[in-house]
Amino acid sequence: MPTRSDTVLVGTTAPVRSADARVVGGWESTTAAVTATLEAAIGTLPDDVGASVPVLVLADTYSRWAARRFARRCADPARRLRPSDSTGLETSELLRKFAIASGWRGPCYLLAGSDAAEVLETGRAFAATGPVVLCEVAPLDTDALDDPGCTVTAMVLTDADSVPDIPHAPPGALLAAAGSVGGRG
């Protein structure tokens, strides 16, 4: 029998409506939203587990946005490229800043080329050996040259049968897939 999890947290840089996911606050940047949301999710675990819990990140949407932004910056003859323009391409940069701020030292897997349902199943396989945190960064304005606004979803799966209970959720493919598995999609 599936275990219901109420550990679904959403950080955002824009207002979202959600009756059921715990919105941990509005943040000024995507980086701040990732850090706060992951800290809140990992904070639901015992300290000895949370410090090294694996984090799986659904990276496609954010990576596509970052690549489009980088290409537009490269094509702009009036703009001088900086080293930060190339590191900004990397979804891992968001996690690096979280790790520095929080002291978390677990493994991180950026999953690209997988849809949210596949990421959820991968997470459930990881959870067979212990807790895992799934994370998605979903840009809201994919045409933005600066921070696109986002929702950051983090869900903690504590065992292989974990199924998040998400009847109504803000934007994001991970929450939609979890809602479908939970019978509420």
Side-chain angles (χ1 to χ4, degrees), residues 26-52:
W27 303 98
E28 70 283 355
S29 70
T30 298
T31 302
V34 168
T35 296
T37 305
L38 285 174
E39 284 178 345
I42 289 172
T44 67
L45 297 168
D47 289 342
D48 61 327
V49 174
S52 61

mmCIF file with all atom_site columns, all heavy atoms in Angstrom, residues 26-52:
data_model
loop_
_atom_site.group_PDB
_atom_site.id
_atom_site.type_symbol
_atom_site.label_atom_id
_atom_site.label_alt_id
_atom_site.label_comp_id
_atom_site.label_asym_id
_atom_site.label_entity_id
_atom_site.label_seq_id
_atom_site.pdbx_PDB_ins_code
_atom_site.Cartn_x
_atom_site.Cartn_y
_atom_site.Cartn_z
_atom_site.occupancy
_atom_site.B_iso_or_equiv
_atom_site.pdbx_formal_charge
_atom_site.auth_seq_id
_atom_site.auth_comp_id
_atom_site.auth_asym_id
_atom_site.auth_atom_id
_atom_site.pdbx_PDB_model_num
ATOM 1   N N   . GLY A 1 26 ? 7.704  33.527 -0.736  1.00 0.00 ? 26 GLY A N   1
ATOM 2   C CA  . GLY A 1 26 ? 8.101  34.154 -1.985  1.00 0.00 ? 26 GLY A CA  1
ATOM 3   C C   . GLY A 1 26 ? 9.523  34.657 -1.836  1.00 0.00 ? 26 GLY A C   1
ATOM 4   O O   . GLY A 1 26 ? 9.882  35.228 -0.811  1.00 0.00 ? 26 GLY A O   1
ATOM 5   N N   . TRP A 1 27 ? 10.344 34.452 -2.843  1.00 0.00 ? 27 TRP A N   1
ATOM 6   C CA  . TRP A 1 27 ? 11.753 34.814 -2.772  1.00 0.00 ? 27 TRP A CA  1
ATOM 7   C C   . TRP A 1 27 ? 12.101 35.752 -3.903  1.00 0.00 ? 27 TRP A C   1
ATOM 8   O O   . TRP A 1 27 ? 11.442 35.793 -4.928  1.00 0.00 ? 27 TRP A O   1
ATOM 9   C CB  . TRP A 1 27 ? 12.615 33.546 -2.802  1.00 0.00 ? 27 TRP A CB  1
ATOM 10  C CG  . TRP A 1 27 ? 12.224 32.642 -1.682  1.00 0.00 ? 27 TRP A CG  1
ATOM 11  C CD1 . TRP A 1 27 ? 11.384 31.565 -1.750  1.00 0.00 ? 27 TRP A CD1 1
ATOM 12  C CD2 . TRP A 1 27 ? 12.542 32.800 -0.324  1.00 0.00 ? 27 TRP A CD2 1
ATOM 13  N NE1 . TRP A 1 27 ? 11.194 31.036 -0.494  1.00 0.00 ? 27 TRP A NE1 1
ATOM 14  C CE2 . TRP A 1 27 ? 11.899 31.777 0.408   1.00 0.00 ? 27 TRP A CE2 1
ATOM 15  C CE3 . TRP A 1 27 ? 13.323 33.705 0.387   1.00 0.00 ? 27 TRP A CE3 1
ATOM 16  C CZ2 . TRP A 1 27 ? 12.010 31.638 1.777   1.00 0.00 ? 27 TRP A CZ2 1
ATOM 17  C CZ3 . TRP A 1 27 ? 13.441 33.554 1.757   1.00 0.00 ? 27 TRP A CZ3 1
ATOM 18  C CH2 . TRP A 1 27 ? 12.795 32.530 2.429   1.00 0.00 ? 27 TRP A CH2 1
ATOM 19  N N   . GLU A 1 28 ? 13.186 36.499 -3.728  1.00 0.00 ? 28 GLU A N   1
ATOM 20  C CA  . GLU A 1 28 ? 13.575 37.508 -4.701  1.00 0.00 ? 28 GLU A CA  1
ATOM 21  C C   . GLU A 1 28 ? 14.269 36.939 -5.927  1.00 0.00 ? 28 GLU A C   1
ATOM 22  O O   . GLU A 1 28 ? 14.391 37.624 -6.931  1.00 0.00 ? 28 GLU A O   1
ATOM 23  C CB  . GLU A 1 28 ? 14.468 38.578 -4.034  1.00 0.00 ? 28 GLU A CB  1
ATOM 24  C CG  . GLU A 1 28 ? 15.861 38.106 -3.640  1.00 0.00 ? 28 GLU A CG  1
ATOM 25  C CD  . GLU A 1 28 ? 15.944 37.261 -2.363  1.00 0.00 ? 28 GLU A CD  1
ATOM 26  O OE1 . GLU A 1 28 ? 14.934 37.080 -1.668  1.00 0.00 ? 28 GLU A OE1 1
ATOM 27  O OE2 . GLU A 1 28 ? 17.045 36.748 -2.093  1.00 0.00 ? 28 GLU A OE2 1
ATOM 28  N N   . SER A 1 29 ? 14.729 35.713 -5.856  1.00 0.00 ? 29 SER A N   1
ATOM 29  C CA  . SER A 1 29 ? 15.437 35.133 -7.004  1.00 0.00 ? 29 SER A CA  1
ATOM 30  C C   . SER A 1 29 ? 15.234 33.621 -7.043  1.00 0.00 ? 29 SER A C   1
ATOM 31  O O   . SER A 1 29 ? 14.853 33.007 -6.043  1.00 0.00 ? 29 SER A O   1
ATOM 32  C CB  . SER A 1 29 ? 16.939 35.422 -6.906  1.00 0.00 ? 29 SER A CB  1
ATOM 33  O OG  . SER A 1 29 ? 17.521 34.677 -5.849  1.00 0.00 ? 29 SER A OG  1
ATOM 34  N N   . THR A 1 30 ? 15.514 33.054 -8.192  1.00 0.00 ? 30 THR A N   1
ATOM 35  C CA  . THR A 1 30 ? 15.426 31.601 -8.336  1.00 0.00 ? 30 THR A CA  1
ATOM 36  C C   . THR A 1 30 ? 16.394 30.919 -7.377  1.00 0.00 ? 30 THR A C   1
ATOM 37  O O   . THR A 1 30 ? 16.052 29.932 -6.726  1.00 0.00 ? 30 THR A O   1
ATOM 38  C CB  . THR A 1 30 ? 15.720 31.192 -9.786  1.00 0.00 ? 30 THR A CB  1
ATOM 39  O OG1 . THR A 1 30 ? 14.722 31.784 -10.630 1.00 0.00 ? 30 THR A OG1 1
ATOM 40  C CG2 . THR A 1 30 ? 15.691 29.689 -9.975  1.00 0.00 ? 30 THR A CG2 1
ATOM 41  N N   . THR A 1 31 ? 17.606 31.436 -7.278  1.00 0.00 ? 31 THR A N   1
ATOM 42  C CA  . THR A 1 31 ? 18.595 30.840 -6.377  1.00 0.00 ? 31 THR A CA  1
ATOM 43  C C   . THR A 1 31 ? 18.096 30.832 -4.942  1.00 0.00 ? 31 THR A C   1
ATOM 44  O O   . THR A 1 31 ? 18.208 29.820 -4.240  1.00 0.00 ? 31 THR A O   1
ATOM 45  C CB  . THR A 1 31 ? 19.933 31.604 -6.473  1.00 0.00 ? 31 THR A CB  1
ATOM 46  O OG1 . THR A 1 31 ? 20.380 31.571 -7.829  1.00 0.00 ? 31 THR A OG1 1
ATOM 47  C CG2 . THR A 1 31 ? 20.984 31.003 -5.571  1.00 0.00 ? 31 THR A CG2 1
ATOM 48  N N   . ALA A 1 32 ? 17.531 31.932 -4.490  1.00 0.00 ? 32 ALA A N   1
ATOM 49  C CA  . ALA A 1 32 ? 17.010 31.994 -3.118  1.00 0.00 ? 32 ALA A CA  1
ATOM 50  C C   . ALA A 1 32 ? 15.841 31.034 -2.931  1.00 0.00 ? 32 ALA A C   1
ATOM 51  O O   . ALA A 1 32 ? 15.716 30.392 -1.880  1.00 0.00 ? 32 ALA A O   1
ATOM 52  C CB  . ALA A 1 32 ? 16.586 33.429 -2.788  1.00 0.00 ? 32 ALA A CB  1
ATOM 53  N N   . ALA A 1 33 ? 14.990 30.910 -3.940  1.00 0.00 ? 33 ALA A N   1
ATOM 54  C CA  . ALA A 1 33 ? 13.848 29.987 -3.843  1.00 0.00 ? 33 ALA A CA  1
ATOM 55  C C   . ALA A 1 33 ? 14.328 28.536 -3.781  1.00 0.00 ? 33 ALA A C   1
ATOM 56  O O   . ALA A 1 33 ? 13.792 27.735 -3.000  1.00 0.00 ? 33 ALA A O   1
ATOM 57  C CB  . ALA A 1 33 ? 12.899 30.189 -5.022  1.00 0.00 ? 33 ALA A CB  1
ATOM 58  N N   . VAL A 1 34 ? 15.335 28.176 -4.587  1.00 0.00 ? 34 VAL A N   1
ATOM 59  C CA  . VAL A 1 34 ? 15.883 26.818 -4.543  1.00 0.00 ? 34 VAL A CA  1
ATOM 60  C C   . VAL A 1 34 ? 16.470 26.543 -3.160  1.00 0.00 ? 34 VAL A C   1
ATOM 61  O O   . VAL A 1 34 ? 16.186 25.511 -2.542  1.00 0.00 ? 34 VAL A O   1
ATOM 62  C CB  . VAL A 1 34 ? 16.948 26.612 -5.645  1.00 0.00 ? 34 VAL A CB  1
ATOM 63  C CG1 . VAL A 1 34 ? 17.735 25.326 -5.427  1.00 0.00 ? 34 VAL A CG1 1
ATOM 64  C CG2 . VAL A 1 34 ? 16.296 26.603 -7.014  1.00 0.00 ? 34 VAL A CG2 1
ATOM 65  N N   . THR A 1 35 ? 17.291 27.457 -2.660  1.00 0.00 ? 35 THR A N   1
ATOM 66  C CA  . THR A 1 35 ? 17.928 27.263 -1.358  1.00 0.00 ? 35 THR A CA  1
ATOM 67  C C   . THR A 1 35 ? 16.890 27.099 -0.255  1.00 0.00 ? 35 THR A C   1
ATOM 68  O O   . THR A 1 35 ? 16.936 26.138 0.523   1.00 0.00 ? 35 THR A O   1
ATOM 69  C CB  . THR A 1 35 ? 18.878 28.433 -1.051  1.00 0.00 ? 35 THR A CB  1
ATOM 70  O OG1 . THR A 1 35 ? 19.929 28.426 -2.028  1.00 0.00 ? 35 THR A OG1 1
ATOM 71  C CG2 . THR A 1 35 ? 19.480 28.313 0.336   1.00 0.00 ? 35 THR A CG2 1
ATOM 72  N N   . ALA A 1 36 ? 15.931 28.001 -0.185  1.00 0.00 ? 36 ALA A N   1
ATOM 73  C CA  . ALA A 1 36 ? 14.937 27.945 0.890   1.00 0.00 ? 36 ALA A CA  1
ATOM 74  C C   . ALA A 1 36 ? 14.046 26.706 0.798   1.00 0.00 ? 36 ALA A C   1
ATOM 75  O O   . ALA A 1 36 ? 13.729 26.081 1.810   1.00 0.00 ? 36 ALA A O   1
ATOM 76  C CB  . ALA A 1 36 ? 14.075 29.205 0.864   1.00 0.00 ? 36 ALA A CB  1
ATOM 77  N N   . THR A 1 37 ? 13.658 26.340 -0.412  1.00 0.00 ? 37 THR A N   1
ATOM 78  C CA  . THR A 1 37 ? 12.763 25.199 -0.581  1.00 0.00 ? 37 THR A CA  1
ATOM 79  C C   . THR A 1 37 ? 13.477 23.898 -0.234  1.00 0.00 ? 37 THR A C   1
ATOM 80  O O   . THR A 1 37 ? 12.926 23.050 0.480   1.00 0.00 ? 37 THR A O   1
ATOM 81  C CB  . THR A 1 37 ? 12.208 25.158 -2.014  1.00 0.00 ? 37 THR A CB  1
ATOM 82  O OG1 . THR A 1 37 ? 11.586 26.421 -2.295  1.00 0.00 ? 37 THR A OG1 1
ATOM 83  C CG2 . THR A 1 37 ? 11.191 24.055 -2.181  1.00 0.00 ? 37 THR A CG2 1
ATOM 84  N N   . LEU A 1 38 ? 14.699 23.733 -0.716  1.00 0.00 ? 38 LEU A N   1
ATOM 85  C CA  . LEU A 1 38 ? 15.438 22.518 -0.381  1.00 0.00 ? 38 LEU A CA  1
ATOM 86  C C   . LEU A 1 38 ? 15.784 22.461 1.101   1.00 0.00 ? 38 LEU A C   1
ATOM 87  O O   . LEU A 1 38 ? 15.721 21.397 1.717   1.00 0.00 ? 38 LEU A O   1
ATOM 88  C CB  . LEU A 1 38 ? 16.694 22.387 -1.249  1.00 0.00 ? 38 LEU A CB  1
ATOM 89  C CG  . LEU A 1 38 ? 16.436 21.962 -2.688  1.00 0.00 ? 38 LEU A CG  1
ATOM 90  C CD1 . LEU A 1 38 ? 17.725 21.994 -3.500  1.00 0.00 ? 38 LEU A CD1 1
ATOM 91  C CD2 . LEU A 1 38 ? 15.784 20.596 -2.750  1.00 0.00 ? 38 LEU A CD2 1
ATOM 92  N N   . GLU A 1 39 ? 16.138 23.595 1.695   1.00 0.00 ? 39 GLU A N   1
ATOM 93  C CA  . GLU A 1 39 ? 16.404 23.606 3.140   1.00 0.00 ? 39 GLU A CA  1
ATOM 94  C C   . GLU A 1 39 ? 15.166 23.171 3.917   1.00 0.00 ? 39 GLU A C   1
ATOM 95  O O   . GLU A 1 39 ? 15.257 22.393 4.872   1.00 0.00 ? 39 GLU A O   1
ATOM 96  C CB  . GLU A 1 39 ? 16.863 24.986 3.603   1.00 0.00 ? 39 GLU A CB  1
ATOM 97  C CG  . GLU A 1 39 ? 18.298 25.293 3.249   1.00 0.00 ? 39 GLU A CG  1
ATOM 98  C CD  . GLU A 1 39 ? 18.743 26.689 3.673   1.00 0.00 ? 39 GLU A CD  1
ATOM 99  O OE1 . GLU A 1 39 ? 17.888 27.557 3.988   1.00 0.00 ? 39 GLU A OE1 1
ATOM 100 O OE2 . GLU A 1 39 ? 19.965 26.928 3.671   1.00 0.00 ? 39 GLU A OE2 1
ATOM 101 N N   . ALA A 1 40 ? 14.003 23.664 3.519   1.00 0.00 ? 40 ALA A N   1
ATOM 102 C CA  . ALA A 1 40 ? 12.763 23.296 4.207   1.00 0.00 ? 40 ALA A CA  1
ATOM 103 C C   . ALA A 1 40 ? 12.455 21.812 4.036   1.00 0.00 ? 40 ALA A C   1
ATOM 104 O O   . ALA A 1 40 ? 12.060 21.129 4.990   1.00 0.00 ? 40 ALA A O   1
ATOM 105 C CB  . ALA A 1 40 ? 11.601 24.149 3.702   1.00 0.00 ? 40 ALA A CB  1
ATOM 106 N N   . ALA A 1 41 ? 12.649 21.292 2.824   1.00 0.00 ? 41 ALA A N   1
ATOM 107 C CA  . ALA A 1 41 ? 12.379 19.870 2.574   1.00 0.00 ? 41 ALA A CA  1
ATOM 108 C C   . ALA A 1 41 ? 13.336 18.987 3.368   1.00 0.00 ? 41 ALA A C   1
ATOM 109 O O   . ALA A 1 41 ? 12.911 18.039 4.047   1.00 0.00 ? 41 ALA A O   1
ATOM 110 C CB  . ALA A 1 41 ? 12.484 19.561 1.079   1.00 0.00 ? 41 ALA A CB  1
ATOM 111 N N   . ILE A 1 42 ? 14.609 19.297 3.301   1.00 0.00 ? 42 ILE A N   1
ATOM 112 C CA  . ILE A 1 42 ? 15.611 18.497 4.004   1.00 0.00 ? 42 ILE A CA  1
ATOM 113 C C   . ILE A 1 42 ? 15.449 18.641 5.515   1.00 0.00 ? 42 ILE A C   1
ATOM 114 O O   . ILE A 1 42 ? 15.713 17.708 6.269   1.00 0.00 ? 42 ILE A O   1
ATOM 115 C CB  . ILE A 1 42 ? 17.022 18.854 3.505   1.00 0.00 ? 42 ILE A CB  1
ATOM 116 C CG1 . ILE A 1 42 ? 17.174 18.313 2.070   1.00 0.00 ? 42 ILE A CG1 1
ATOM 117 C CG2 . ILE A 1 42 ? 18.107 18.310 4.428   1.00 0.00 ? 42 ILE A CG2 1
ATOM 118 C CD1 . ILE A 1 42 ? 18.429 18.737 1.356   1.00 0.00 ? 42 ILE A CD1 1
ATOM 119 N N   . GLY A 1 43 ? 14.939 19.786 5.941   1.00 0.00 ? 43 GLY A N   1
ATOM 120 C CA  . GLY A 1 43 ? 14.692 20.011 7.363   1.00 0.00 ? 43 GLY A CA  1
ATOM 121 C C   . GLY A 1 43 ? 13.606 19.109 7.941   1.00 0.00 ? 43 GLY A C   1
ATOM 122 O O   . GLY A 1 43 ? 13.480 18.992 9.155   1.00 0.00 ? 43 GLY A O   1
ATOM 123 N N   . THR A 1 44 ? 12.826 18.458 7.092   1.00 0.00 ? 44 THR A N   1
ATOM 124 C CA  . THR A 1 44 ? 11.805 17.527 7.591   1.00 0.00 ? 44 THR A CA  1
ATOM 125 C C   . THR A 1 44 ? 12.396 16.169 7.944   1.00 0.00 ? 44 THR A C   1
ATOM 126 O O   . THR A 1 44 ? 11.713 15.332 8.526   1.00 0.00 ? 44 THR A O   1
ATOM 127 C CB  . THR A 1 44 ? 10.674 17.318 6.557   1.00 0.00 ? 44 THR A CB  1
ATOM 128 O OG1 . THR A 1 44 ? 11.192 16.640 5.405   1.00 0.00 ? 44 THR A OG1 1
ATOM 129 C CG2 . THR A 1 44 ? 10.034 18.642 6.160   1.00 0.00 ? 44 THR A CG2 1
ATOM 130 N N   . LEU A 1 45 ? 13.655 15.957 7.570   1.00 0.00 ? 45 LEU A N   1
ATOM 131 C CA  . LEU A 1 45 ? 14.331 14.685 7.835   1.00 0.00 ? 45 LEU A CA  1
ATOM 132 C C   . LEU A 1 45 ? 15.203 14.809 9.088   1.00 0.00 ? 45 LEU A C   1
ATOM 133 O O   . LEU A 1 45 ? 15.640 15.917 9.431   1.00 0.00 ? 45 LEU A O   1
ATOM 134 C CB  . LEU A 1 45 ? 15.214 14.301 6.641   1.00 0.00 ? 45 LEU A CB  1
ATOM 135 C CG  . LEU A 1 45 ? 14.484 14.039 5.327   1.00 0.00 ? 45 LEU A CG  1
ATOM 136 C CD1 . LEU A 1 45 ? 15.473 13.974 4.172   1.00 0.00 ? 45 LEU A CD1 1
ATOM 137 C CD2 . LEU A 1 45 ? 13.673 12.765 5.425   1.00 0.00 ? 45 LEU A CD2 1
ATOM 138 N N   . PRO A 1 46 ? 15.493 13.693 9.735   1.00 0.00 ? 46 PRO A N   1
ATOM 139 C CA  . PRO A 1 46 ? 16.443 13.750 10.855  1.00 0.00 ? 46 PRO A CA  1
ATOM 140 C C   . PRO A 1 46 ? 17.783 14.317 10.381  1.00 0.00 ? 46 PRO A C   1
ATOM 141 O O   . PRO A 1 46 ? 18.195 14.085 9.237   1.00 0.00 ? 46 PRO A O   1
ATOM 142 C CB  . PRO A 1 46 ? 16.586 12.281 11.284  1.00 0.00 ? 46 PRO A CB  1
ATOM 143 C CG  . PRO A 1 46 ? 15.376 11.594 10.745  1.00 0.00 ? 46 PRO A CG  1
ATOM 144 C CD  . PRO A 1 46 ? 14.980 12.340 9.506   1.00 0.00 ? 46 PRO A CD  1
ATOM 145 N N   . ASP A 1 47 ? 18.481 15.040 11.257  1.00 0.00 ? 47 ASP A N   1
ATOM 146 C CA  . ASP A 1 47 ? 19.736 15.697 10.878  1.00 0.00 ? 47 ASP A CA  1
ATOM 147 C C   . ASP A 1 47 ? 20.754 14.745 10.262  1.00 0.00 ? 47 ASP A C   1
ATOM 148 O O   . ASP A 1 47 ? 21.406 15.089 9.276   1.00 0.00 ? 47 ASP A O   1
ATOM 149 C CB  . ASP A 1 47 ? 20.373 16.394 12.083  1.00 0.00 ? 47 ASP A CB  1
ATOM 150 C CG  . ASP A 1 47 ? 19.595 17.624 12.510  1.00 0.00 ? 47 ASP A CG  1
ATOM 151 O OD1 . ASP A 1 47 ? 18.782 18.135 11.705  1.00 0.00 ? 47 ASP A OD1 1
ATOM 152 O OD2 . ASP A 1 47 ? 19.797 18.078 13.654  1.00 0.00 ? 47 ASP A OD2 1
ATOM 153 N N   . ASP A 1 48 ? 20.891 13.546 10.828  1.00 0.00 ? 48 ASP A N   1
ATOM 154 C CA  . ASP A 1 48 ? 21.896 12.617 10.318  1.00 0.00 ? 48 ASP A CA  1
ATOM 155 C C   . ASP A 1 48 ? 21.554 12.117 8.914   1.00 0.00 ? 48 ASP A C   1
ATOM 156 O O   . ASP A 1 48 ? 22.436 11.730 8.154   1.00 0.00 ? 48 ASP A O   1
ATOM 157 C CB  . ASP A 1 48 ? 22.105 11.441 11.273  1.00 0.00 ? 48 ASP A CB  1
ATOM 158 C CG  . ASP A 1 48 ? 20.844 10.613 11.486  1.00 0.00 ? 48 ASP A CG  1
ATOM 159 O OD1 . ASP A 1 48 ? 19.730 11.181 11.470  1.00 0.00 ? 48 ASP A OD1 1
ATOM 160 O OD2 . ASP A 1 48 ? 20.978 9.383  11.669  1.00 0.00 ? 48 ASP A OD2 1
ATOM 161 N N   . VAL A 1 49 ? 20.293 12.154 8.539   1.00 0.00 ? 49 VAL A N   1
ATOM 162 C CA  . VAL A 1 49 ? 19.867 11.743 7.195   1.00 0.00 ? 49 VAL A CA  1
ATOM 163 C C   . VAL A 1 49 ? 19.896 12.943 6.244   1.00 0.00 ? 49 VAL A C   1
ATOM 164 O O   . VAL A 1 49 ? 20.395 12.863 5.121   1.00 0.00 ? 49 VAL A O   1
ATOM 165 C CB  . VAL A 1 49 ? 18.448 11.131 7.228   1.00 0.00 ? 49 VAL A CB  1
ATOM 166 C CG1 . VAL A 1 49 ? 17.942 10.833 5.829   1.00 0.00 ? 49 VAL A CG1 1
ATOM 167 C CG2 . VAL A 1 49 ? 18.433 9.886  8.089   1.00 0.00 ? 49 VAL A CG2 1
ATOM 168 N N   . GLY A 1 50 ? 19.359 14.071 6.688   1.00 0.00 ? 50 GLY A N   1
ATOM 169 C CA  . GLY A 1 50 ? 19.231 15.251 5.835   1.00 0.00 ? 50 GLY A CA  1
ATOM 170 C C   . GLY A 1 50 ? 20.545 15.797 5.320   1.00 0.00 ? 50 GLY A C   1
ATOM 171 O O   . GLY A 1 50 ? 20.622 16.282 4.195   1.00 0.00 ? 50 GLY A O   1
ATOM 172 N N   . ALA A 1 51 ? 21.611 15.691 6.108   1.00 0.00 ? 51 ALA A N   1
ATOM 173 C CA  . ALA A 1 51 ? 22.900 16.251 5.707   1.00 0.00 ? 51 ALA A CA  1
ATOM 174 C C   . ALA A 1 51 ? 23.470 15.572 4.464   1.00 0.00 ? 51 ALA A C   1
ATOM 175 O O   . ALA A 1 51 ? 24.266 16.161 3.747   1.00 0.00 ? 51 ALA A O   1
ATOM 176 C CB  . ALA A 1 51 ? 23.894 16.143 6.851   1.00 0.00 ? 51 ALA A CB  1
ATOM 177 N N   . SER A 1 52 ? 23.034 14.343 4.193   1.00 0.00 ? 52 SER A N   1
ATOM 178 C CA  . SER A 1 52 ? 23.599 13.625 3.049   1.00 0.00 ? 52 SER A CA  1
ATOM 179 C C   . SER A 1 52 ? 22.540 12.970 2.161   1.00 0.00 ? 52 SER A C   1
ATOM 180 O O   . SER A 1 52 ? 22.861 12.121 1.340   1.00 0.00 ? 52 SER A O   1
ATOM 181 C CB  . SER A 1 52 ? 24.576 12.560 3.552   1.00 0.00 ? 52 SER A CB  1
ATOM 182 O OG  . SER A 1 52 ? 23.896 11.635 4.383   1.00 0.00 ? 52 SER A OG  1
#
